Every structure is written in structure tokens, then in C-alpha cells.
Amino acid sequence: MDQKKFAIYRDRARLFLERLKEDLFFESQPLKAEIYSTKQPVAFSDHLSGKYREIREGEYWGEAWDSAWIHLTGTVPAEWAGQPVWCRLYLGGELLIFDEKGVPYYGLTHMSVYNNGYRKDLLPITEAAEPGSKIDLWGELAANGLFGIEGITDDSGLGRIRTMRFGHFNTAAWDLCNDFAVLYALLESLPDTDYRAVQVNMALNDAVSAYADNPVNAAAARACLAKQLSLPAEKSALTTIAVGHAHIDTGWLWPVRETIRKCARTFASQIYNLERYPDYVFGASAAQHYAFVKEHYPELYEKIRQKIKEGRWEIQGGMWVEADCNIISGESMVRQFLYGKNFFMDEFGFDVKNLWIPDVFGYSASMPQIIKKSGCDYFITQKISWSQFNKFPYHTFLWRGIDNTEVLTHFPPEDTYNSWMLPDGLRKAQDNFNENYFLPEFLTLTGIGDGGGGPKLEHIEYGLRSANLEGVPHVKFGRVDKFLERLSKYADKLPQWVGELYLELHRGTLTTQSRTKRNNRKCEQMLTAAEFLCSCLPMAEYPADELDALWKTVLLNQFHDIIPGSSIHMVYENTEAEHAEVLKRCAALIETAAEKLLKQEKDAVTVLNTLSYDYTSPVRLPDDWAGCSVTDESGREILTQTENGALWALGNFPPQSFTTLTRGKAEKQAKTKVDKTLVLENDLVRYEFDADARLLRAFDKTANREVICGAAGNLLGLYVDEPNNWDAWDVDFTYQDVPPVYVTGSRAEKVAAGPVRQVLEFELAVGKSKIRQQVVLAANSKRLDFNTEVDWNEHHRMLRVTFPTAIRAAEARCDIQYGYITRPTHRNTLWDFARFEVAAQRYVDIADVNGGAALLNDCKYGYKLLDGVLDLNLLRSPGNPDPQADLGHHSFTYSFLPHEGGLTGSEVMQEAACLNRAPLVLPGRSEALMLPCRLVGGAGASLEVLKLAYKRNERIIRVVETDGCNSTARLALEPGRKLVETNLVEWSSGATLKQEDGVVEVPLKPFEIRTFRIR
């Protein structure tokens, strides 16, 4: 066919499809409506408590984020008897229709700015109307679109009734619309010169002509398409297993309070779909979302429970929420599974066998072991398809982690979790599927996600029409777990990927919304410390319910658009308040436990070190001890130093032990002469600074080595940060092309020099921001702490700190969850280049044969590693989606640490742990107390957790190998106790380890995580 004719015919078909969508009613009438508007959501039980007013099409009922209840009524005319009656409701927001009993029935939504083609405004009422029957609907409105209010303008109709009608529905026209959409998508996916494209194009145009711009001709138009739709798929075609999916972000462009209602709208609609289409299968992840529905919509929850029993509704993913996997700690990741999988088992008797997180910004190499030891065998995502530079080579493979654990992994090859089930996407998936030469099937996730919703009726209709269609893979609705079981039979043929799944995008999420990241780290550390202390209580007095609730609050806020920093301001207002409450309640639990466990003694302080390392850093004692001598339990006086009314003590607090200190008499403090030099020095190291806080020299005395090379260290630079896309998400490599502006100092002074520590203070400025640094060196350590306060007032700027070192190493070791990973410090390949910003937890270390240096932190995650430079991203200031992101006050610490030997032979891990979790200081308390379990030996072993079991009346411990070597942990237990191994979700019972002479030896493989019950 002539290509110009072909193009005209194709355009004619496209334009007809758009017009056809407006021909779905033979006739319609406006519904009568009354509305009750509020600023905050009102539950159905209270929906009659307000004052209603009449409202008509074209009128406004609210503004952004308002809520409302609307009562819609109408009477079916006699001439519609026996005909289908549907409503078209486009009410300027998201809508949840309730049935007469107050149970959520169906969800409708305003447009999505990310996909204008998605608007769900059709509500089926009946397929055979009775004349005179009443339409009586109650609906809850939210003045936001599917994606909040992002990009919604005044003329978009937010908070305004645009269409509010019911009518005689033209089912044939709707069916024609679905037929036409499928074939037009097929046409678009074929080359213009393909004979099949010509056939489809002409059939579509025959249908346009048969329709003749008259809706009564819809059936005749459908007949023109029947032949093309009936041509079967090739025998060689692959099969895709389609599952309905609604990726509901727990918080993003809307607050969490709106997510609760999104869950109800989505889940109610999918119950309707399951009842309408007998072969359809829907799945949903995130235990927190089910918990929302259980609490707020219990009747809907029971409907879900029934569909789960029938096997039509599939529970997916073992986590509490679909959590970020770079920023959260190893223990947080474990708790995501512990609470998620136990919820699903308790509520539904269902053991989820897959981890389902399709939209997370990279996946830690620690995860395969955590996934497997949580009782999950499979991992599903698609996010790596977003990478900027390198195409990931597999869709189905065995993912191997740092301990050699492997997990069968599948990336749906359509590279989306929002498939429309149309031929163009399905054909792309089949051709894109890397393992299509030996695997017969792949997954398709269909529906609208992010803002929830899932498949609307049309998506399912498209799937049914594509089920056996020439040129398209076979389509079957089915369960993911059954698909994965079939896939596992090919495990011995699958390729392997070793190490992290690094996303070459969204690197800014390692830094954005830094307060939230800091508070999360503090909550993680404090909760774990509180559990250690509370484990000393009689088990009946352990505050399990409250600790569980606090953990669940932290886990919710680890959702992959909250903790990464990519949500709107309303989300962070709530998150910061919740983190503050967690820390407050945690402190109260610690105080209560101390009251029960320790006796009162006015002149005593008990210090609990919950770490597996000696804590040798300075500890701040109560201010009213200033000027007094301090002795330990043996009567030995320990070094103290008073600074500005605060007393710092330098002791040695053994691992997982209580130490009681006693206050002596007040002593006259000898005035320590503080020199004016900007030098910090002890027997181990010497540091020299200039007035701009730059570290000019770092001399490691024990290694006899200059550590800083060339330019100065502690270079605080302000960079232009204007990513091309995804403002809060991205840091583009081009930021390096513009030289930074460095800080300048207005004050530099040594303010303390004593037997415990030395302190320099700097007042600095850069851009519109002020920085105050207190640089601290303890008497017994090489660790140089930069305690930093920033008043941050920038826009599209980024603050980084750089330490150029004399160390030349091709690789760096980066702290990740319960282990470390090795990464290149060069840019040899495009894969290396793409890692210009990488995630690490508490430290990054580089070392050569003469020793090394580490850059530690107490709440930062984004590092740049290049040659011998250690560079840490401190603050960003994006404008979207939160124009106020990170503005205001920040407090954080990073530390520079030269050392001898490599990482595992040095003090880096110990110092990083001590920086992040100081001992619990319990004033006015003393007691010779022992933890029920403590680490007493074993290089490379760490006792990370001591807590009450999730269900049983027994204690749980978690032991981790941290060095990447074979190790043996030596654990002291109470007399008569033994260890029984279990998995991370505390379901299984395995090997029993008995004690000898009060000690149990636990063998550990490299990076192994082992969990035990104490019995």
C-alpha cells in the first residue's frame, strides 16, 4: 500500500477511537446531588453528621486536599427498561462509592498528570434496569487526582463537578472501543510495510466506515474487526502470565492518610473485577496496606479474605511495606519481613514466598540471604530497566549475594508494573525477554499503579482479546506464585548475577530529605538498644506491644518514596512528627526498664554498651557531675574532662555489658591551658587545620604516614545541582563539570584540650547558608569527628565534603546491611562510570598495603569514590516535589579515620558502630546486672539483636559475621540455657547448640546471619 495512504488511514483510525469514547451512552440524565465538604476525611459512620447542600454539574465543592461526602440519586425512566444503566462520574477528585451497608464498593478517579489516558469515570449500575428503580449512592470524595495535586492546574477541574450523569449504556459501543483499542495497538507495534499492518489498518477503517458516526451501528462496526481478532497466536509464541496489580505508594505525592483511602478505592474495585471476570486474578503486596483496610474498612477486609481463600486474590511480597533497600539498616530489612510475613500468616494463613518490590531505587547485595532466610525463594522487580547507561543483561536469573546465597529473580520484560495489556506492550515484552530462547513464559503486571487503582475494566477486556491473537504472546491470567514454581524448574539453566543490583538513576535519593534519614537512623539504633535493655526484664514485663508498634511506625516510613526523600512536604511533616514520637517513647521505655532493673543510687550512673565492641569513645555523664571525680566498679578513677559545664569521661565499656560509675567528691579543676594553634594531636595521630576548617595535614604516627595528599581534606564545597529530570531523585554526573564554591571561615578556635579530648570550633559560610563545626579528637583514637550544624538556605545546590588521600586502591569497601561490598574506585568501564554516586551505610574504607582511611557517618548515605578521594554528599536542595526540601537546620557527624592494615584488621567497624550507637547512660542507677546473652569472643562476629520472640515466650538473638571470613562467635548464656536456631521470621526450629562452661560457640560462614531462640 502507498505509505501516504497508509498514514492517512492510520490517523483516521486513531481519531475515531478518541471520538468513540464519548459515544458510550445512548442518552443520559443528570443525577441529583447533595454534598458535605470538610477539610479532613470523615468516616462513613459519621457521614450524616454534617450539613449537606445541593450541588450541580459545573459547581465547585472544595479545593486541594479537601474531602466531601456526596449523595447521588436518580430514577430510571420507563424507556430504559431491561437496558444496561451505567453512571459517568467525573467529580473533580478521587471517589469511593459505598454500598447501602457502608461497605466500599467501587473506586473512581480524577485524571493522572502522568497518563492523561487514565481516567476512571464509569460505574456500572445494572445490566437490565427496572423502570422506576432508584439510584441511591453515597460516595466519599477527595480533592486530589490519582497522583495528588501534582501538575493539576485551575482548569483541570479539581474540586469541581464536571460530569455527574446516569444513562442507557451502549454496551456494543464499549465493546467496539475495546476491540478497536486492541487492534490499533497491534497496528502501532507493526512496521508500516508489514502485510499484517495493512490488513489491520484496513479492517479498522472498514469499522470506522460501518460505524458511520452513529452509535447504533456499533455492532456492525465490530463485525468488521472480528476476523482480525479471531486470528490465533502463532504456535511458537511465548505465554505471558498476567496478574492484576496496583502499585500503591504508601506515601508520595499524597500524605499517608490518603493512602488509606487509596487502598479502599483500589481494593473495592478489584473485588468488583474479580466478581465480574471469573478468570481474572489480582495480587497486592504490603502488609501495612492490608492493616489499613482491616482497621478502617473491616467489611471490605472480609471480602478480601474470602477472595484469598478462593485463590483469586494473591498476597505478594513478604515486607511490611515495599521498603527502600539502600538506606534502611540490616535489622530494619529483617523486621520488614518479620512483621510482613507474620501478618500474612496470622491473618490469612498464607506463607508469602516472594519479595515483591518493583519500584525501589537499587537493591543491596545483602538481600539474597535476608530474602532466603525469611522464607522467600523468589524476587520480583523491574526497576533496573530504568538504568541510564547500561542495559541489564537478564530478565530471569539467579541473584547471588555477599554470602553466596542465591535467589531466583524475575524482571517482567515489559519493563513496567503498569501494563495496559495491549498488543504493543505485550509484543515488546516478548521480544525484550532475554531468556525467550529457552523459557516459555514471563510475567505481565497489569493495571495502574503508584497512585493505586489497579486494572480498570478495559484493561481486563484488552487482556481477554489478546489471549490468543496473531502476533501477540498467549495471555493467561494467573497467580505469580504458580508461575515462579514453574520457573524454578529451569534454575540450573539460569544465568547468575553476583553482587548488588545497582540502579543507574535516582542517586539523589541517598541524600534528599536528610532530616528524615537522620531520624530513621536514630530510631533504628535506639530501638535496638532498648530491646537489649528490656530483654533483661522478666519476659512477662517485656513491652512487646509497644516496641512492635514503634517498629511498625519506623518501617512504614521506610517506604521507597518516603525515606528516599521523593515525597511532598505533607508527608515529611508527618514523618518527622512520627520519628520524634518513636524516640520519645523509646526513651520512656528505657527509663521504665531501668527503674525496674536497677536500684536507685544518687551518686551512681550505669552505662550499658549494647554493641559487640568495646566502647572507648568519650561518654557524656550527667551535667551535675561536672567537676567531680569518677570511679568505675573496681574503684579505679577514670579520666574526665569538664567543658562548658559538661563532663566527659574516657572509659572502656566492654561489649554488651553494664558498667556502674560512681561520683566522688567535687575537685578543684586544674585549668588546662588551651593553645591557639589549629592542631589536634595525640600519641596516635596529628591533624592540622586552617581557618576555613580545611584539613591541611593528617599524619598517622603509628603508620608513619601522611594520609592527606595534595589538596586539603574536609573540603566543604557547594555545587550547582540542577538534574535534567526527577529533581528530588537525581544527581547528574554533570554536577562535577562546574567547580564548587568552598566555605570560608569567620571564626576558628581551639576551645578544649584535656586528658579526654581536644576540640576545635569553626564558624563557616557558603552561599546563603551558615555552618558550625566542632572538630573533636579523643585522647585514645585516630577518629576525627566533625560535629556539624548547618542552617541550610539553598535552592538547587548540593553540599559535599571531600578528603583526598594518599591511598591508592583500585577498590573501596562499603558498609551495607549486615556486611560490606567491594566497589571500584576507577572509571574503566561504563558500568564503573555509572556508579559515580553509591550507597553506603556507616562507613566507606580504602586501603593499600601500608594502611588505609575511612570516612564514617552517623546519618549519610551517598558517597563518591574516585582514586584515593573519599567524598560524602551532605545536603541537597531540590524544588520538586517538595519546594521546602531540606531547608532549615541540620545536625550530623562525619568522621575521618586513618588506620593500619586493611578494613578487617583495623578499628573501622568498631569506630563506625560506636559513632552510631553510644551507650545508654542511666543516671541515678546501679546494679551488677548481666544481659541474658552477650558476646565474649570471636573476631568478625557480632551479636546484633537481643529481644523477645515475636510470638513465643522466649528470647531471640541474631549473630552476624561482619568480616567476610569464617568466624566463631562465643556467647555467654545464663546457666542451663541453650540455643535453638530459627529463621529470620522466627518460624523454624533447627540446630541446637549447647553451652560448655557457660559459653556457646556459634560457627559462622562469611557474612552469615544466624538467628537463635534462647531456651
Side-chain angles (χ1 to χ4, degrees):
M1 174 178 282
D2 178 78
Q3 288 301 296
K4 292 181 179 178
K5 288 183 178 180
F6 182 94
I8 291 171
Y9 280 129
R10 183 180 54 200
D11 287 346
R12 183 188 185 215
R14 174 179 56 81
L15 294 169
F16 171 76
L17 181 58
E18 292 303 312
R19 294 196 306 273
L20 182 61
K21 294 173 184 178
E22 303 304 318
D23 282 354
L24 299 183
F25 290 87
F26 287 112
E27 55 181 324
S28 65
Q29 296 182 5
L31 288 159
K32 293 182 179 179
E34 293 180 317
I35 200 160
Y36 160 42
S37 301
T38 59
K39 289 295 180 184
Q40 297 295 327
V42 172
F44 182 86
S45 57
D46 297 321
H47 76 289
L48 295 177
S49 62
K51 184 177 181 181
Y52 284 77
R53 62 180 177 85
E54 187 176 348
I55 191 168
R56 296 181 177 85
E57 290 180 337
E59 295 180 351
Y60 280 87
W61 56 266
E63 53 191 22
W65 302 119
D66 282 356
S67 292
W69 278 97
I70 190 166
H71 187 202
L72 302 166
T73 57
T75 303
V76 174
E79 56 269 27
W80 296 354
Q83 301 302 319
V85 172
W86 290 29
C87 292
R88 172 161 268 167
L89 302 174
Y90 193 11
L91 306 187
E94 295 202 89
L95 172 66
L96 177 58
I97 297 293
F98 288 74
D99 68 16
E100 65 279 2
K101 295 180 181 178
V103 181
Y105 174 72
Y106 203 74
L108 301 172
T109 193
H110 193 74
M111 70 175 188
S112 158
V113 296
Y114 292 101
N115 190 332
N116 288 327
Y118 185 82
R119 189 179 79 223
K120 189 178 176 189
D121 58 0
L122 294 175
L123 174 65
I125 300 297
T126 179
E127 296 306 311
E130 295 183 9
S133 60
K134 302 296 182 183
I135 294 175
D136 194 333
L137 303 172
W138 287 95
E140 182 190 28
L141 275 166
N144 50 264
L146 187 69
F147 288 82
I149 61 171
E150 179 75 8
I152 292 180
T153 58
D154 290 342
D155 61 356
S156 65
L158 185 67
R160 179 170 66 90
I161 304 294
R162 181 174 292 185
T163 306
M164 187 172 60
R165 307 182 76 81
F166 72 112
H168 175 192
F169 191 68
N170 188 343
T171 304
W174 186 67
D175 287 336
L176 172 62
C177 211
N178 295 326
D179 293 346
F180 209 95
V182 167
L183 287 176
Y184 184 77
L186 177 60
L187 170 63
E188 286 286 88
S189 69
L190 295 168
D192 291 356
T193 55
D194 189 290
Y195 79 95
R196 181 92 167 102
V198 176
Q199 291 175 347
V200 171
N201 200 357
M202 295 315 297
L204 291 171
N205 274 269
D206 287 346
V208 176
S209 298
Y211 189 77
D213 220 14
N214 188 342
V216 300
N217 295 326
R222 290 193 72 199
C224 298
L225 304 178
K227 178 182 177 181
Q228 294 300 323
L229 286 169
S230 67
L231 294 175
E234 293 89 342
K235 290 183 179 180
S236 61
L238 301 185
T239 296
T240 184
I241 303 302
V243 61
H245 178 59
H247 180 74
I248 305 173
D249 284 338
T250 306
W252 180 29
L253 301 177
W254 53 87
V256 174
R257 75 125 206 241
E258 196 56 40
T259 301
I260 297 170
R261 301 197 290 182
K262 284 179 175 289
C263 289
R265 290 189 284 266
T266 299
F267 291 177
S269 293
Q270 298 314 311
I271 291 290
Y272 178 93
N273 289 348
L274 289 167
E275 292 175 350
R276 184 181 179 102
Y277 298 101
D279 295 327
Y280 172 62
V281 175
F282 177 74
S285 67
Q288 176 67 81
H289 294 174
Y290 290 82
F292 282 152
V293 175
K294 181 182 180 182
E295 178 183 357
H296 296 278
Y297 307 96
E299 297 88 354
L300 175 60
Y301 190 71
E302 290 307 313
K303 289 186 175 184
I304 294 170
R305 188 192 303 278
Q306 182 58 39
K307 293 301 178 186
I308 290 171
K309 284 182 182 179
E310 295 171 6
R312 305 279 312 288
W313 183 299
E314 183 179 11
I315 300 170
Q316 297 160 340
M319 284 186 168
W320 187 248
V321 298
E322 292 186 13
D324 171 87
C325 296
N326 286 317
I327 294 162
I328 70 173
S329 70
E331 191 53 33
S332 284
M333 193 172 287
V334 171
R335 301 301 173 100
Q336 289 283 353
F337 282 102
L338 175 70
Y339 289 109
K341 287 201 63 168
N342 275 284
F343 179 90
F344 290 134
M345 180 59 74
D346 293 347
E347 291 293 318
F348 308 110
F350 188 79
D351 183 8
V352 184
K353 290 291 188 179
N354 61 72
L355 175 59
W356 182 282
I357 39 176
D359 193 32
V360 170
F361 313 142
Y363 304 92
S364 162
S366 298
M367 290 177 65
Q369 180 181 193
I370 294 174
I371 293 169
K372 211 64 174 283
K373 288 196 171 183
S374 297
C376 292
D377 299 319
Y378 311 102
F379 175 48
I380 304 290
T381 186
Q382 60 79 47
K383 196 65 177 185
I384 302 302
S385 67
W386 285 45
S387 285
Q388 281 179 311
F389 300 106
N390 298 284
K391 179 176 171 59
F392 195 81
Y394 314 123
H395 284 99
T396 306
F397 58 98
L398 298 177
W399 180 25
R400 182 185 296 174
I402 55 174
D403 73 316
N404 282 335
T405 296
E406 292 181 341
V407 173
L408 196 158
T409 301
H410 181 69
F411 295 174
E414 196 172 341
D415 294 340
T416 182
Y417 48 78
N418 293 327
S419 172
W420 281 60
M421 293 294 287
L422 287 167
D424 51 352
L426 298 174
R427 284 168 53 85
K428 169 200 168 183
Q430 180 172 246
D431 292 340
N432 189 42
F433 186 30
N434 280 295
E435 293 69 46
N436 58 15
Y437 62 97
F438 73 98
L439 292 179
E441 55 184 353
F442 58 87
L443 272 184
T444 295
L445 314 183
T446 179
I448 290 298
D450 295 317
K456 58 180 182 177
L457 301 179
E458 289 84 349
H459 294 124
I460 302 171
E461 294 284 345
Y462 299 157
L464 294 174
R465 286 161 172 78
S466 300
N468 188 23
L469 180 63
E470 187 180 59
V472 179
H474 298 282
V475 176
K476 294 181 180 178
F477 287 106
R479 291 178 62 94
V480 174
D481 53 4
K482 300 301 181 185
F483 162 79
L484 291 170
E485 287 173 12
R486 294 191 298 274
L487 197 60
S488 67
K489 297 175 182 178
Y490 296 87
D492 60 345
K493 297 181 179 180
L494 295 178
Q496 295 173 333
W497 181 267
V498 179
E500 67 181 324
L501 294 172
Y502 178 86
L503 177 64
E504 298 174 357
L505 198 69
H506 294 356
R507 304 167 186 86
T509 61
L510 302 175
T511 304
T512 308
Q513 299 288 359
S514 288
R515 276 186 296 269
T516 292
K517 291 175 170 62
R518 178 181 188 273
N519 292 338
N520 174 77
R521 178 88 66 91
K522 301 307 177 190
C523 288
E524 289 173 332
Q525 296 292 328
M526 196 169 186
L527 278 167
T528 303
E531 288 177 335
F532 266 94
L533 177 60
C534 291
S535 293
C536 296
L537 293 165
M539 283 187 275
E541 297 181 28
Y542 185 94
D545 290 344
E546 185 154 16
L547 282 167
D548 285 351
L550 297 179
W551 266 112
K552 287 176 180 176
T553 297
V554 173
L555 299 180
L556 184 156
N557 286 293
Q558 291 174 346
F559 177 73
H560 66 254
D561 268 312
I562 297 179
I563 199 170
S566 46
S567 292
I568 61 172
H569 189 69
M570 291 172 71
V571 171
Y572 295 107
E573 289 178 318
N574 184 68
T575 296
E576 289 195 26
E578 290 189 340
H579 279 157
E581 184 64 17
V582 168
L583 294 171
K584 176 182 175 182
R585 288 169 62 187
C586 217
L589 290 177
I590 290 169
E591 184 177 352
T592 300
E595 289 174 357
K596 293 178 178 180
L597 292 166
L598 306 171
K599 67 182 181 182
Q600 243 181 331
E601 188 172 330
K602 182 181 66 172
D603 291 324
V605 160
T606 293
V607 178
L608 171 58
N609 174 17
T610 61
L611 298 172
S612 293
Y613 304 97
D614 288 326
Y615 191 93
T616 57
S617 299
V619 173
R620 184 171 178 175
L621 299 180
D623 288 350
D624 60 1
W625 284 38
C628 298
S629 63
V630 179
T631 56
D632 63 16
E633 291 154 322
S634 66
R636 181 180 65 89
E637 187 168 344
I638 65 173
L639 290 174
T640 60
Q641 177 177 324
T642 300
E643 295 175 25
N644 299 321
L647 184 67
W648 294 89
L650 194 63
N652 185 1
F653 302 99
Q656 281 135 13
S657 296
F658 292 86
T659 302
T660 297
L661 305 178
T662 303
R663 174 172 56 179
K665 294 181 179 179
E667 297 180 341
K668 186 175 181 181
Q669 299 293 301
K671 288 190 175 181
T672 304
K673 185 176 180 181
V674 178
D675 63 60
K676 300 300 182 183
T677 63
L678 299 179
V679 176
L680 299 176
E681 184 174 13
N682 59 25
D683 293 340
L684 306 172
V685 70
R686 177 182 173 90
Y687 296 112
E688 300 176 7
F689 288 83
D690 69 9
D692 295 325
R694 294 183 298 181
L695 179 59
L696 303 179
R697 187 184 185 207
F699 181 69
D700 186 336
K701 296 181 179 181
T702 60
N704 193 30
R705 184 181 194 184
E706 296 286 354
V707 184
I708 292 296
C709 176
N714 196 41
L715 281 173
L716 288 160
L718 189 68
Y719 293 80
V720 174
D721 183 19
E722 294 268 12
N724 292 346
N725 296 297
W726 302 102
D727 204 9
W729 290 261
D730 281 357
V731 169
D732 288 346
F733 68 87
T734 53
Y735 84 87
Q736 301 165 103
D737 296 343
V738 180
V741 177
Y742 292 108
V743 300
T744 56
S746 59
R747 174 177 167 265
E749 182 181 3
K750 183 178 287 185
V751 296
V756 174
R757 60 185 215 156
Q758 304 168 50
V759 183
L760 300 177
E761 285 187 357
F762 295 93
E763 293 183 3
L764 310 162
V766 67
K768 301 175 182 177
S769 300
K770 303 293 183 183
I771 302 172
R772 292 169 295 283
Q773 281 201 318
Q774 190 182 73
V775 186
V776 181
L777 177 66
N780 60 346
S781 175
K782 298 179 184 178
R783 191 182 96 196
L784 186 65
D785 292 342
F786 295 85
N787 301 326
T788 307
E789 306 282 332
V790 182
D791 292 322
W792 185 242
N793 299 295
E794 307 300 326
H795 184 64
H796 282 132
R797 296 293 181 269
M798 176 169 56
L799 183 68
R800 307 184 71 100
V801 66
T802 303
F803 290 85
T805 74
I807 296 149
R808 289 296 173 263
E811 296 175 330
R813 285 169 172 78
C814 305
D815 183 38
I816 59 174
Q817 296 89 344
Y818 283 153
Y820 64 81
I821 189 173
T822 300
R823 294 187 175 112
T825 61
H826 53 72
R827 301 289 185 265
N828 285 355
T829 70
L830 192 58
W831 291 88
D832 299 329
F833 174 82
R835 288 171 166 82
F836 62 83
E837 189 97 347
V838 295
Q841 297 258 317
R842 298 166 300 175
Y843 66 82
V844 162
D845 181 77
I846 53 175
D848 56 26
V849 294
N850 297 310
L855 185 54
L856 322 178
N857 73 83
D858 74 342
C859 61
K860 300 299 175 183
Y861 298 90
Y863 282 85
K864 171 186 171 182
L865 306 171
L866 183 60
D867 298 327
V869 176
L870 294 171
D871 180 291
L872 181 62
N873 198 337
L874 301 176
L875 290 169
R876 297 188 68 228
S877 50
N880 182 273
D882 178 9
Q884 302 176 55
D886 282 314
L887 295 177
H889 185 75
H890 292 267
S891 176
F892 51 85
T893 298
Y894 57 89
S895 305
F896 184 67
L897 178 61
H899 61 83
E900 294 182 275
L903 169 66
T904 57
S906 75
E907 63 275 22
V908 170
M909 293 185 192
Q910 174 184 359
E911 292 282 21
C914 292
L915 175 64
N916 278 272
R917 192 191 304 165
L920 298 178
V921 177
L922 309 170
R925 302 284 168 188
S926 73
E927 189 70 43
L929 199 62
M930 302 284 279
L931 289 168
C933 179
R934 66 189 189 283
L935 185 74
V936 294
S942 179
L943 174 59
E944 289 288 329
V945 172
L946 172 62
K947 70 180 190 72
L948 197 69
Y950 181 72
K951 291 182 179 177
R952 300 185 186 181
N953 196 31
E954 54 193 7
R955 296 182 179 92
I956 292 285
I957 63 166
R958 194 153 7 264
V959 188
V960 178
E961 202 291 313
T962 60
D963 284 358
C965 306
N966 290 314
S967 302
T968 299
R970 302 184 72 248
L971 302 171
L973 290 179
E974 297 168 329
R977 298 288 186 178
K978 61 185 177 182
L979 300 180
V980 179
E981 190 159 16
T982 186
N983 62 9
L984 294 178
V985 295
E986 302 171 19
W987 289 358
S988 61
S989 290
T992 297
L993 303 180
K994 296 181 179 180
Q995 59 175 284
E996 293 183 14
D997 300 324
V999 173
V1000 176
E1001 291 194 345
V1002 179
L1004 295 166
K1005 298 173 185 176
F1007 297 123
E1008 186 175 15
I1009 305 167
R1010 298 188 71 179
T1011 303
F1012 296 91
R1013 305 180 189 277
I1014 301 177
R1015 287 184 175 167

